[in-house]
Amino acid sequence: GAKAAGRNTVLVFESSMYQAVRKRFRIERELREAIRQKQFELYFQPQVDDHHQISSWEVLIRWNHPQQGVVSPMEFISIAEETGQIIPIGDWVLDKTCEILGQCERAGKPVALSANISARQFKDTQFVGNLKKHIRHHQIDANNLTLEMTESLLIEDATATAETMHELAKLGINFSIDDFGTGYSNLKYLRQLPLKELKIDKSFIQNICENNNDAAVVKTMLSLAAHLNLYVVAEGVEEKRQSQFLNKLAKIKMQGYLFGKPIPTSIFLNQWLQNYNKLRDVP
Ligand code: C2E
Ligand code: MG
Ligand code: MG
Ligand code: MG
């Protein structure tokens, strides 16, 4: 009867909640080992200009789990943010990113890379010092490095965040707002930050060809970006018709499976160092 069904529902709910809690603690415990053993790897996804030439790459972390294989950041980044493990993980990402930037520069094939930064990582007292250390150690041109930050990070502790951004911008580091449109940006405040670009969240791109509301929102973001003098990257471009639609609206950069999925470091390096002229110089 209804009573039994209700009781079963509660049991199912409790057991799935219990499983979720158990999984969370398992990941937290295994991340401790992953950090010690450096079980992470950087993947690279191209960002193309309006001529569909690669102009930069986004750096995306993967966890090479000893039993489970490649684990997506969606599975562990939010847990690492809650536990603070994002601080050593994020520092490893920036160290590796700077190492790759240095390697490409010294091969005479400079590359522009964008790395994702969590709020907790950016606010850590060691963040600026450690980043400067990586830049010095790998002797890189900081102009080739972009930090992707979310709108929420820019709004919390706005004054301190702006100060840190200005300090890093003086070194040449660029800033990008990730997942733009999904947060609550204070537009007046955005103007005061040393931003280079905004990345339109993929949720607005997905149905852009058939959903007039999404198209209208994207047009508004493009006009905002133009007024604020910001470059734009459209995320999650999967289909040719989406890129054609976007190309008609404005000169923007695009990123998505249409142009390439994220690839492991070794493949990225081979491709970039061997096909540099083809990827970069052909109009
Ligand atoms: P994000 O920064 O917004 O990165 C874009 C995500 O969209 C990536 O997922 C990418 O693989 C995926 N993507 C790219 N093109 C397409 C497409 O055409 N269609 C669809 N459906 N998806 C596409 P990924 O690699 O799983 O990363 C997820 C999120 O994890 C990232 O979102 C970012 O917020 C976070 N993340 C990744 N690496 C790092 C990191 O090193 N540090 C921090 N703090 N967060 C990271
Ligand atoms: Mg990103
Ligand atoms: Mg994004
Ligand atoms: Mg996203």
Side-chain angles (χ1 to χ4, degrees), residues 58 116 148 177-180 199-202 235 255:
E58 180 172 19
N116 292 282
E148 294 191 7
I177 311 184
D178 206 354
D179 307 329
F180 190 75
K199 298 186 74 177
I200 300 178
D201 190 66
K202 52 180 167 286
E235 284 188 330
Q255 179 181 350

Side-chain angles (χ1 to χ4, degrees), residues 16-84:
S16 72
M17 199 167 76
Y18 172 68
Q19 277 170 19
V21 170
R22 260 183 40 152
K23 185 176 175 195
R24 192 201 170 287
F25 280 105
R26 175 181 60 75
I27 291 176
E28 179 181 346
R29 174 166 36 80
E30 291 179 350
L31 272 177
R32 276 201 290 274
E33 199 53 30
I35 292 165
R36 265 199 296 273
Q37 298 190 10
K38 306 215 163 36
Q39 293 170 357
F40 303 105
E41 183 174 0
L42 299 183
Y43 276 52
F44 296 80
Q45 187 181 31
Q47 301 177 327
V48 302
D49 63 20
D50 51 318
H51 300 291
H52 296 186
Q53 294 293 304
I54 295 176
S55 62
S56 50
W57 300 75
E58 180 172 19
V59 178
L60 297 155
I61 196 171
R62 298 289 181 265
W63 176 5
N64 289 322
H65 190 284
Q67 281 86 42
Q68 291 173 37
V70 182
V71 178
S72 148
M74 308 292 263
E75 292 275 327
F76 66 89
I77 289 291
S78 64
I79 295 170
E81 286 173 343
E82 281 171 40
T83 60

